[in-house]
Structure formats: C-alpha cells, structure tokens
C-alpha cells in the first residue's frame, strides 16, 4: 500500500505541475524537502538523547516496570503478543503517557525506543508485527488531554476562553482512538495472527 | 481554569524530572552514568530515520507544492457542503495526516482570520489538537527499525484521522452552535 501511495503522490504532483507549465516546482520541492528531512533528523539528536537518558534512569529505578505492572490488564488486552515483563511494554506506556499529556517532544524518543524493543521480538525484520501495528494505531490516534500548542495559539489570537476546546478535543480523540483500536483488532485477524 | 492550565504545563516537565532523579537516586541508581548510557542511543536512532524521512518528505512536498492537495480539496468541497461541514477547514483536514508544521500553519491562519471563538476557529482548534501526522509517524517509527512493509497500519491510521475529523465536526457543532 505504501508503495502505491508514495508513487501516486509523486506522479500526480509531477503531472499537475507539468500541466501548469511549472516543472521547476517539482525540482525545488524535491531538493528542498530532502535537505529539510536531514535537518529535522539532526535536530532530533539532542532531544532524543535527553529523553532516552532520562528514560534509562527511570528504567533502572524500577519506575517503568511499576507503570507497566499497574496497567497490565489494559496492556494484556491491547498487546497479547508482548510478554508482560518485556521492556517494550514500558516504552510503549511512556510514549502513550507523553502523547496524552501533550508532551510532544518526549513522545517521539519513547516511541522510537518502543519500536526498537518491538523489533527485537519481531520474527520478520522487514515486516511490521501485529504489536507494532497496534502501537502505531494507538499512537497516531491517541487521546489528548492537553493540546498545548493549539491552546497557546488561541491565547495569542485573543480567545475569550482558550481552553474551551479541551473537552471537544478529548471527545474527538476518544472516538478516533476507539475506532483505531477496533479497526486494528479486525485487520489483525484478517491479516492472520503473527507476532 | 486557564491560569491552572498554564501552571500545569509550565511545571509538568520540571516536576517529572525532579521526581525521576530523586527517586532513582534513593533507589541506588548511579544517575549520571545511567543517563549517559541511555543518551548514547539517541544519535543512532536519529540518523537511522534519515532515508525514510527523505523519501516521505519529498513525496509530501511535491504533492503539496504542485497544487494536488488543493485540487483534492476542491473536489471534496461540494460533497462536504451537503453534509454541512464548513469548506474552510477542508485544507486543514487534508494536510493534517501529511505535515504537522503545514497543518499547524493552516490552523493558526484559520484561528486568526475567523477568530478563535468562531465556529471555524473552534473546529480548527479541535481538529489540530486531535490527530497526529499519520504519514510522518509511520515513516519515522517504522524507519527507525528498518521496517519496509507497513501492512495495514496506514489504513488504520487514515481511518482514525477521518473518524476524528467527523467527530470534531459533530462535537463542535453540538457544543457551540445555536
């Protein structure tokens, strides 16, 4: 699926730009975005290192395991294929907590750590495991308690009540998350049970 | 409410850090050395996602700059008008799965142009706060461990984005109109 989507995005873009007689748009955006991608990755190094360092401390102190133990009934239902004591579970929970609390820059490092742990118990290293698909479904459609960035924008735009959208966001994300969990569950069975 | 919220967001990180460090110290963890061990991985992970990120950002950029995204929006408009969804937020809905920065730009523009307390401003705020950049997350997360076959992940992510969009429209109309 990703092959087709990727191809269509580029081919349709080139076609439309050609119709408008502006081929230079394609050249500029291709080169520009390639450089932007590298810049983003390098900027990520600092924040990744910081949060992974903190997470290692939390791990060694037993905090991550305590979190995983507390939420075990929930995680057992969502991730039947991950062993209860596996470090992947702790990283997944840290990532979801960061997402829920709107700590955007902490979510990515924890999430990438979780992917590494999940990859270590994945039988086919080039194909997404069921647990990875579930994790990403939760991740891209996560309940949000504090949409920090948008509240800041509303505040600066002079809103009478910048936080009034917290409840609507909570509702929308709860619906989205339920659908994501349901769809993931159904598709997991359709695609066959594998680790 | 607002003051409380601002206090919470300002204090959350410092309190979190303080708690982890002090707790770990009393549990006998060598905090400094442990931090270094964890932080070492940061560089490798960040560098490993580069090829995946380049591939995705090129496609998104061409798709957007060529005007394909706007074209797609104008095709959707007549259909959505019938259902009662304001056409102004369509570009935001379409941009959201692809680019976080791009979507934030559109959302900020809508909020400033129509006012944060208008229906469109509230809807844009809710939409922006609700979903994540699906393409970006999949690319970066799978890329970091070298997964090339995403199976049904993309379908689930986009379905969730679509659901969240409709849920946002529903709840904002329900809570704020009349």
């Amino acid at each position: 699926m990703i092959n087709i989507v990727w191809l269509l995005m580029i081919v349709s873009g080139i076609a439309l730009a050609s119709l408008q007689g502006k081929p230079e748009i394609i050249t500029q955006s291709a080169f520009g975005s390639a450089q932007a991608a590298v810049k983003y990755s390098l900027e990520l190094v600092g924040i990744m290192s910081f949060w992974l360092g903190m997470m290692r401390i939390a791990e060694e102190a037993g905090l991550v395991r305590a979190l995983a133990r507390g939420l075990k009934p929930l995680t057992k239902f969502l991730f039947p294929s991950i062993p209860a004591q596996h470090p992947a579970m702790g990283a997944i929970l840290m990532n979801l907590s960061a997402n829920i609390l709107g700590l955007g820059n902490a979510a990515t490092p924890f999430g990438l750590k979780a992917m590494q742990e999940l990859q270590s118990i994945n039988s086919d290293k080039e194909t997404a495991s069921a647990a990875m698909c579930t994790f990403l479904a939760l991740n891209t459609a996560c309940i949000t308690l504090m949409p920090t960035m948008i509240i800041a924008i509303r505040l600066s735009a002079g809103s009478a009540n910048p936080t009034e959208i917290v409840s609507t966001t909570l509702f929308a994300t709860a619906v989205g998350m339920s659908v994501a969990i349901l769809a993931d569950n159904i598709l997991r069975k359709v695609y066959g049970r594998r680790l | 409410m607002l003051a409380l919220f601002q206090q919470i967001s300002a204090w959350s990180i410092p309190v979190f850090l303080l708690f982890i460090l002090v707790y770990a110290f009393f549990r006998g963890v060598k905090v400094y050395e442990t931090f270094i061990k964890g932080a070492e991985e940061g560089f490798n992970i960040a560098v490993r996602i580069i090829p995946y990120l380049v591939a995705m950002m090129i496609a998104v950029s061409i798709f957007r700059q060529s005007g394909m995204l706007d074209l797609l929006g104008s095709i959707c408009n007549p259909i959505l008008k019938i259902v009662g969804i304001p056409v102004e937020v369509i570009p935001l809905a379409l941009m959201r799965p692809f680019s976080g920065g791009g979507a934030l730009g559109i959302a900020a523009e809508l909020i400033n142009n129509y006012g944060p307390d208008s229906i469109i401003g509230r809807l844009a705020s809710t939409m922006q706060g609700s979903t994540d950049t699906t393409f970006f997350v999949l690319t970066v997360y799978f890329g970091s461990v070298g997964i090339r076959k995403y199976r049904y992940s993309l379908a689930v992510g986009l379905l969730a984005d679509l659901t969240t969009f409709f849920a946002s429209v529903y709840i904002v109309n329900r809570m704020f109109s009349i």
Side-chain angles (χ1 to χ4, degrees), chain A residues 165-187:
Chain A
I165 49 94
V166 169
S167 57
T168 53
T169 304
L170 189 62
F171 173 84
T173 51
V175 173
M177 196 177 195
S178 314
V179 168
I181 292 172
L182 194 69
D184 173 71
N185 234 291
I186 294 168
L187 283 170

Side-chain angles (χ1 to χ4, degrees), chain A:
Chain A
M1 186 176 180
I2 192 73
N3 283 306
I4 301 293
V5 172
W6 195 70
L7 183 79
L8 277 179
M9 284 172 80
I10 295 180
V11 170
S12 65
I14 293 177
L16 192 64
S18 310
L19 280 175
Q20 297 167 310
K22 291 184 205 155
E24 69 279 359
I25 293 179
I26 302 300
T27 319
Q28 280 163 8
S29 53
F31 294 158
S33 56
Q35 277 179 323
V38 175
K39 198 164 158 253
Y40 173 82
S41 308
L42 292 180
E43 279 167 0
L44 197 62
V45 173
I47 206 78
M48 282 286 303
S49 304
F50 171 72
W51 282 115
L52 289 179
M54 290 309 293
M55 185 175 165
R56 181 65 72 94
I57 294 176
E59 254 170 18
E60 298 225 344
L63 282 168
V64 179
R65 238 174 304 128
L67 182 68
R69 209 176 309 123
L71 295 169
K72 203 172 152 196
L74 185 69
T75 54
K76 234 186 143 76
F77 162 73
L78 288 170
F79 300 98
S81 59
I82 304 178
Q85 292 299 316
H86 199 275
M89 213 63 253
I92 288 174
L93 290 173
M94 297 281 279
N95 167 268
L96 294 179
S97 315
N99 265 326
I100 291 169
L101 297 176
L103 306 174
N105 70 6
T108 308
F110 294 149
L112 295 182
K113 179 81 186 154
M115 289 303 283
Q116 272 194 329
E117 299 291 350
L118 288 174
Q119 180 73 324
S120 73
I121 48 172
N122 185 8
S123 50
D124 177 354
K125 301 292 178 204
E126 287 206 346
T127 307
S129 67
M132 286 176 179
C133 291
T134 307
F135 173 51
L136 288 185
L138 289 176
N139 195 305
T140 55
C142 191
I143 283 204
T144 309
L145 287 181
M146 284 199 255
T148 38
M149 181 75 88
I150 206 75
I151 290 172
I153 290 177
R154 290 173 61 81
L155 190 66
S156 71
S159 169
N161 188 358
T163 54
E164 70 182 357
I165 49 94
V166 169
S167 57
T168 53
T169 304
L170 189 62
F171 173 84
T173 51
V175 173
M177 196 177 195
S178 314
V179 168
I181 292 172
L182 194 69
D184 173 71
N185 234 291
I186 294 168
L187 283 170
R188 186 194 304 167
K189 277 158 198 154
V190 172
Y191 275 70
R193 262 186 198 281
R194 52 193 293 195
L195 228 156

Side-chain angles (χ1 to χ4, degrees), chain B residues 61-131:
Chain B
S61 174
I62 289 178
F63 192 68
R64 200 178 140 194
Q65 301 296 340
S66 66
M68 262 318 280
L69 194 69
D70 296 333
L71 188 67
L72 205 64
S74 51
I75 294 168
C76 295
N77 283 353
I79 310 162
L80 293 169
K81 235 178 199 161
I82 301 168
V83 197
I85 294 168
V87 290
E88 291 85 348
V89 299
I90 301 304
L92 176 59
L94 288 173
M95 179 65 82
R96 197 70 188 92
F98 295 108
S99 156
L104 191 64
I106 298 177
E109 191 189 293
L110 287 173
I111 291 169
N112 282 310
N113 282 350
Y114 292 90
D117 302 326
S118 65
I119 282 289
I120 288 171
R122 285 163 168 158
L123 185 53
S125 308
T126 306
M127 285 166 59
Q128 177 66 25
S130 320
T131 54

Side-chain angles (χ1 to χ4, degrees), chain A residues 1-10 136 139-141, chain B residues 49 52-57 59-61 63 69 72 93-100 131-143 150 153-159 161:
Chain A
M1 186 176 180
I2 192 73
N3 283 306
I4 301 293
V5 172
W6 195 70
L7 183 79
L8 277 179
M9 284 172 80
I10 295 180
L136 288 185
N139 195 305
T140 55
Chain B
I49 62 175
Y52 297 86
L53 210 53
V54 169
M56 188 42 82
M57 283 176 70
V60 168
S61 174
F63 192 68
L69 194 69
L72 205 64
L94 288 173
M95 179 65 82
R96 197 70 188 92
F98 295 108
S99 156
T131 54
D132 215 323
T133 43
T134 301
F135 275 90
F136 181 80
V137 168
L138 291 186
T139 305
V140 170
Y141 281 39
F142 280 137
Y150 295 4
S153 284
L154 188 57
V156 172
L158 292 179
L159 178 71
D161 287 341

